[in-house]
Amino acid sequence: MNMQTGAVMAPPAPRSLAEMQLPIVMMRDILLKTIFRKNVDVATEIARAVCLPIPVTQELIDMARDQRLLEATGTLHANSGNEMGFQLTDAGKARALDALAQSEYYGAMPVPLDVYREQVKRQSIRNIQITRDQLTGAMGHLILPDNLLGQLGPAVSSGRSILMYGPPGNGKSSISNGIRDALGDKIYVPRAIEYSGQVITVYDPIVHSAAEEQVDDPNSLRRTSGRYDTRYVRCERPTVITGGELSLSMLDLVYNPVARTYQAPLQLKSTGGVFIVDDLGRQAEPPQSLVNRWIVPLEESKDILALQSGEKFEVPFDTLVIFSTNFHPNEIFDKAALRRIFFKIKIDGPCQEDFLKIFALVARKKKMPLNEKALVHLLQKRYPEIDNVYANYQPVFLIDQMIAICEFEGIPYQMTPELIDRAWANMFVKDEVIVK
């Protein structure tokens, strides 16, 4: 599927309880818990709370009424289109409390894992084809050599793993974020999924940016709710960024013993999107261990998770994994691990010409006037001290230092050889022998 064609096929809304593929008792109990916790009492409000079409919700309501767990209040709500009101019976309240003791989960009905798998296929990260123009547009704020874009493009379009390595301060993190921005389209993220009667929450507002929904006439609620399965949230393709804090335990299901529900691990939340492991080699876990954890998912497009009971099960693994490190790959991986990372791309520092382009770009953005004499001093006097090794972070660092000095001295922003020297002195720590 090409990005430019628009869009991912939406998950169809269920048309009946039979289509839901969830345990009937689980659905009934979530309905009762939701009515109890959210104090909703008409079918349209209940449907919105459990994220189901009204006809399916009505089926659940009728079933609960047949079991004497819900009753009609006999009052019509004028502000809800003269809808009939419902309330929990004493038996219904008792059942809701009993169900809450077993699991605090209420609200949106979960999506069965098998149903979710089908949606993952419809919106797979591997369906994306990114053009050079799209990647250039997303990286527009970066000065990158043409051959680098030529390497990144096929890597991103493949939806496979990427290892970016090279000296620090050259934009590996910025490039990772640019890749994320280039993806551009929207996918559907389930609020929760169900496996073996257990609820696993997936949608996370911190990870998932919900796209703006099309707002219809409020009177067309029935048509709106049928557009797609509202148990999903339409989102930008997710991006999870982890750094030195990443540990193997963060890749396991998180069980909440109080609520008795599970939360999806980071890689499941990033399904259909990008998982960036920044600063690989800075974690407490050895890089080899982290990559070993990813080997089966990367090769087989599936991950294995475990419930509290010890039962293991498969979930889809549909994620573009980007590893970024300042170490040489041979220092932190064995050959078998390296072989399993599909693309290995070296991110070097800029040449002098690109360094000057970045310097001019940053200066213009920060309203610092360029000065030829100061630039010649920087290139001919200072950079030879470090063997003319340029890095992408240096223009920002040097210009910010000069701005700070000018503001402190109360003088207009300016660039002079003397200010270059003062800024340069702060960029490096001198090696000194301390005599005790």
Side-chain angles (χ1 to χ4, degrees), residues 6 41 55 59 86-87 89 106 112 124 178 197 200 205 220 224 241 264 274 283 298 306-307 352 366 399 427 433 436:
D41 60 359
E59 274 192 80
F86 298 99
Q87 65 184 19
T89 62
Y106 64 92
S124 173
I200 302 162
S220 65
T224 304
I241 303 175
V274 183
Q283 293 78 10
L298 288 171
L307 299 173
Q352 189 183 87
K366 293 181 178 280
I399 289 167
M427 199 155 67
V433 177
K436 291 185 179 178

Side-chain angles (χ1 to χ4, degrees), residues 237-269:
R237 286 191 179 267
T239 303
V240 170
I241 303 175
T242 64
E245 78 284 1
L246 179 63
S247 65
L248 286 172
S249 63
M250 292 164 73
L251 306 177
D252 295 330
L253 278 176
V254 181
Y255 182 67
N256 182 329
V258 178
R260 294 183 176 84
T261 57
Y262 292 88
Q263 188 180 62
L266 294 174
Q267 73 277 18
L268 189 53
K269 289 181 182 178

